[in-house]
């Protein structure tokens, strides 16, 4: 049984923490953060929602298969790691490209960012699969 305060705080925190997790994901290449910590932040706020509202209530309108998120992330990270071999480079070699966008100026595109996105989905899928399976166990 959770209180009204917990449910209200959860409603307020949910979008803010999801945006913060995406911010950590995108800033992680050159600053502290990255796919792992961004994924942990995302999974923690969804877990908080499961606790505050109950798993059955959440599953009535939002019931993704977190295992698919895990599989997608693992596939994306693996493809990113092996893609360098296709271009005659070493395994896990990162490529860097700079592009100029009208309002943002020069933007650095790094292939390691795709690997971070894969890790982000692996962490979310793995943690929320565990939480959901433990919560479903009756």
């Amino acid at each position: 049984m959770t209180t009204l305060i917990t449910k209200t705080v959860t409603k307020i925190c949910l979008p803010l923490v999801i945006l913060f997790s995406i911010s950590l994901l995108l800033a992680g290449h050159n600053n502290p953060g990255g796919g792992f910590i961004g994924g942990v932040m995302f999974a923690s706020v969804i877990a908080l929602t499961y606790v505050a509202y109950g798993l059955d209530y959440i599953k009535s309108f939002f019931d993704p298969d977190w295992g698919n998120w895990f599989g997608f992330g693992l596939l994306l990270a693996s493809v990113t790691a092996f893609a360098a071999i296709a271009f005659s480079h070493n395994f896990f070699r990162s490529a860097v490209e700079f592009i100029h966008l009208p309002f943002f100026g020069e933007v650095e595109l790094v292939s390691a960012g795709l690997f971070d996105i894969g890790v982000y989905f692996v962490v979310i899928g793995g943690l929320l699969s565990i939480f959901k399976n433990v919560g479903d166990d009756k």
Side-chain angles (χ1 to χ4, degrees):
M1 183 78 178
T2 56
T3 64
L4 179 63
I5 295 171
T6 305
K7 290 179 180 179
T8 304
V9 168
T10 301
K11 279 183 184 177
I12 295 169
C13 286
L14 183 68
L16 297 175
V17 174
I18 288 173
L19 287 175
F20 184 61
S21 78
I22 293 170
S23 169
L24 285 173
L25 167 68
L26 296 177
H29 180 68
N30 292 326
N31 298 312
F36 183 82
I37 192 65
V40 169
M41 290 292 296
F42 187 94
S44 65
V45 76
I46 298 297
L48 175 66
T49 308
Y50 282 160
V51 170
Y53 289 95
L55 187 59
D56 292 331
Y57 176 72
I58 298 297
K59 282 171 55 177
S60 68
F61 61 90
F62 182 68
D63 190 24
D65 185 359
W66 298 113
N68 287 341
W69 288 49
F70 180 88
F72 170 74
L74 193 59
L75 179 68
L76 182 62
S78 299
V79 166
T80 304
F82 282 104
I85 294 173
F87 294 101
S88 302
H89 293 290
N90 296 332
F91 180 66
F92 260 121
R93 171 123 185 227
S94 182
V96 179
E97 187 70 35
F98 292 93
I99 62 170
H100 185 77
L101 296 176
F103 295 108
F104 298 103
E106 191 171 72
V107 175
E108 178 184 8
L109 296 177
V110 182
S111 64
L114 290 174
F115 182 77
D116 275 343
I117 292 171
V119 170
Y120 182 78
F121 282 106
V122 165
V123 170
I124 290 170
L127 288 176
L128 290 176
S129 288
I130 293 169
F131 293 156
K132 188 175 169 185
N133 288 332
V134 169
D136 271 341
D137 191 25
K138 294 184 180 179

